[in-house]
Amino acid sequence: MASIETRKTKGKLTRYRVKWRTGGTRAGAWDGTTSDAYTDAKRFKALVEVHGHQWPPAEDLIAQGFAYLVPGADAASATTDPVEPPAIVTFETFALDYLERLVKPNPETKRKYLERLRVHVFPVLGERPIAEITRREMRLWQEGLVAKKLAAKTIQNIRGETVSPIFEAACLPGEDDEPPLRTYNPLKGLALPQRIRPPREIVEDQREARLVIEAAYEIDPNAADLMLTLLATGMRWGETAGLPVQAVNVERGTVSIMQVLRREHFQWKVIPQPKTKDGYREIPVPAQVMKVIAARCGSRDRDAFVFTAPMGGHWLHDNFYDDRWKKIRTLAEANGLRKRRTMYGLRHSLLTWLASEGVDLTTLRTIAGHKRVSTTFDIYVHSTRRHHPKVKQAISDLMGLEAGPFTSQPHAAEDHRPGR
């Protein structure tokens, strides 16, 4: 790989030498050239790397503004038309072209990326040449998002899913082997804003679970069946609301994830595959909950939804949240449930319960449909008080608190009463 050395001349001027081994191997001979400007050195280094660590051809050197490195090029330019400098590529121009060439994301994901760029990125960076954007600019841009009160998770998504891949693409050669526009991603090394999660947003124990379930069945038994399944399986909303009858195996006591509901262009649609390939999975269901699900399947068609809204068809998330979940939560809180409960927290709740009962992380990852165990454990598993009795007993055993001076002595109890 080519490198850039900073050198000081006798006159204390700074110069930049690009050097590389011919062919990019240790056996290759050293070659190099020196520039007065660091930006020129970066561009030349990228040009060398594109050409396999060989001296670039004369026509490429001239086209990229390095005619002074081509013998006779200056004389020839006096009798020919001047070579136009390369067009300046702005961040917006490059980003739009990048999105146009993306293949993997579905149309809704592309729409989401474009909306983020237009709202949060283009107003600040859109007109800047993508080759000139610095780490300082990216830090100031991120601080601007924080000042706009965007959540840390939202900033993380904008950076990681939308902006950073654009800079990574700018570090690659073009489709016709044009030199890369950048030599590094200016977001690398920039710390994300600290993400502060609301404390205890899960349903923590049996009492709290009972409060939520009883409130749900008092508000709407039909909606309560769906909510009970969310809590008992840890499925995502789109997986549960889109669950077809054919995905239910009563004999095995499981449900399989084979399709999901996803919002595209502001409409919920049935997508015939899960969120990721790890989303394909079979989830065990408690017998009591399976009875509820089996009763709903009844004689329905295999492709019918297990859970249906009052007017037929699948539930819409916003309608369920506003018209059912908020009422369920309010009633449960009035009956003693601590606040800060979210509907998505039901998924977190199940995974936390299973982890506290010693279920291994691989099984937890499979149930959650995650690719990495770290995602399940770091984000979805919360601290609870369910382990306190085990911890207390373990400490008591280790310290021998059942022997010696702590041994129960009924006759000595009188000596320690207040006032004696």
Side-chain angles (χ1 to χ4, degrees):
M1 183 175 181
S3 60
I4 300 176
E5 289 183 347
T6 302
R7 298 183 173 184
K8 293 285 188 181
T9 66
K10 291 183 179 180
K12 295 186 178 181
L13 297 176
T14 302
R15 306 198 72 196
Y16 305 94
R17 179 165 180 78
V18 180
K19 67 175 188 176
W20 68 94
R21 285 188 181 272
T22 303
T25 65
R26 293 185 177 181
W30 283 104
D31 203 346
T33 187
T34 302
S35 299
D36 292 329
Y38 182 66
T39 54
D40 287 344
K42 288 198 302 181
R43 291 194 303 111
F44 190 85
K45 173 178 176 289
L47 197 60
V48 168
E49 291 174 346
V50 165
H51 290 284
H53 294 84
Q54 304 286 347
W55 190 269
E59 58 270 21
D60 286 358
L61 290 172
I62 294 173
Q64 296 299 321
F66 296 109
Y68 60 89
L69 296 175
V70 180
D74 290 338
S77 63
T79 58
T80 60
D81 294 332
V83 178
E84 293 185 5
I88 295 177
V89 180
T90 65
F91 181 90
E92 180 172 347
T93 299
F94 186 87
L96 293 176
D97 182 62
Y98 168 81
L99 286 181
E100 183 67 26
R101 289 183 283 110
L102 275 183
V103 176
K104 187 176 180 181
N106 59 64
E108 174 62 15
T109 300
K110 280 191 175 184
R111 184 203 63 78
K112 179 176 67 175
Y113 290 168
L114 182 58
E115 182 180 3
R116 288 173 177 173
L117 289 169
R118 286 175 172 167
V119 174
H120 301 298
V121 186
F122 288 166
V124 179
L125 302 171
E127 297 303 316
R128 291 281 292 128
I130 192 169
E132 298 179 9
I133 296 175
T134 65
R135 287 192 176 96
R136 178 186 294 276
E137 287 180 273
M138 297 314 299
R139 176 177 59 79
L140 294 174
W141 165 76
Q142 181 170 282
E143 290 175 356
L145 298 184
V146 174
K148 289 164 63 175
K149 306 298 184 183
L150 266 66
K153 174 61 175 174
T154 301
I155 296 174
Q156 179 181 334
N157 290 343
I158 295 172
R159 272 188 50 169
E161 296 177 353
T162 308
V163 181
S164 188
I166 292 172
F167 281 121
E168 292 291 341
C171 295
L172 300 175
E175 291 184 325
D176 296 318
D177 288 334
E178 303 95 334
L181 295 174
R182 294 192 61 88
T183 58
Y184 72 98
N185 180 348
L187 283 172
K188 280 192 173 179
L190 176 61
L192 285 162
Q194 184 177 3
R195 186 179 176 191
I196 303 175
R197 297 188 180 92
R200 301 189 182 280
E201 62 181 11
I202 64 169
V203 176
E204 187 166 308
D205 52 31
Q206 188 180 63
R207 171 184 168 276
E208 293 188 353
R210 186 175 64 254
L211 289 171
V212 172
I213 294 170
E214 290 177 350
Y217 278 98
E218 184 173 340
I219 295 296
D220 182 353
N222 182 40
D225 288 349
L226 187 152
M227 198 216 67
L228 176 67
T229 304
L230 283 172
L231 182 59
T233 63
M235 291 192 292
R236 301 176 177 94
W237 166 264
E239 296 169 342
T240 309
L243 187 71
V245 171
Q246 62 179 316
V248 178
N249 190 316
V250 178
E251 293 182 359
R252 282 205 299 262
T254 62
V255 294
S256 297
I257 307 304
M258 56 180 61
Q259 69 179 34
V260 298
L261 288 177
R262 182 184 297 156
R263 183 153 39 193
E264 292 187 356
H265 297 290
F266 306 101
Q267 292 184 345
W268 286 93
K269 298 180 180 179
V270 177
I271 308 299
Q273 67 266 341
K275 182 179 179 181
T276 66
K277 66 178 182 179
D278 297 284
Y280 289 102
R281 63 200 190 280
E282 189 175 32
I283 302 175
V285 181
Q288 301 90 326
V289 180
M290 180 54 71
K291 288 181 181 179
V292 173
I293 295 175
R296 296 192 64 87
C297 293
S299 59
R300 295 185 185 183
D301 294 338
R302 287 170 50 82
D303 294 332
F305 295 112
V306 173
F307 304 102
T308 53
M311 301 300 292
H314 62 77
W315 281 96
L316 297 177
H317 179 274
D318 293 344
N319 291 349
F320 189 95
Y321 189 89
D322 291 335
D323 298 338
R324 300 299 190 276
W325 171 251
K326 286 184 177 179
K327 295 177 181 178
I328 293 169
R329 182 175 58 188
T330 299
L331 179 57
E333 289 172 357
N335 292 336
L337 180 70
R338 290 177 296 117
K339 294 186 178 181
R340 301 197 64 84
R341 294 299 173 276
T342 64
M343 195 163 70
Y344 197 72
L346 300 178
R347 174 171 160 83
H348 289 236
S349 300
L350 177 77
L351 297 174
T352 299
W353 294 346
L354 296 179
S356 65
E357 292 300 317
V359 175
D360 64 274
L361 288 177
T362 301
T363 300
L364 286 177
R365 179 190 66 79
T366 302
I367 292 175
H370 292 149
K371 182 177 182 179
R372 298 180 180 85
V373 168
S374 59
T375 302
T376 308
F377 194 76
D378 293 343
I379 298 177
Y380 285 81
V381 175
H382 300 249
S383 176
T384 73
R385 292 187 292 269
R386 292 169 64 85
H387 64 281
H388 286 190
K390 293 180 180 179
V391 172
K392 292 176 182 177
Q393 185 60 50
I395 295 173
S396 178
D397 293 344
L398 287 170
M399 296 181 63
L401 299 182
E402 298 299 328
F406 301 101
T407 303
S408 177
Q409 298 180 4
H411 65 276
E414 294 289 330
D415 297 333
H416 295 89
R417 287 184 297 172
R420 290 280 180 174

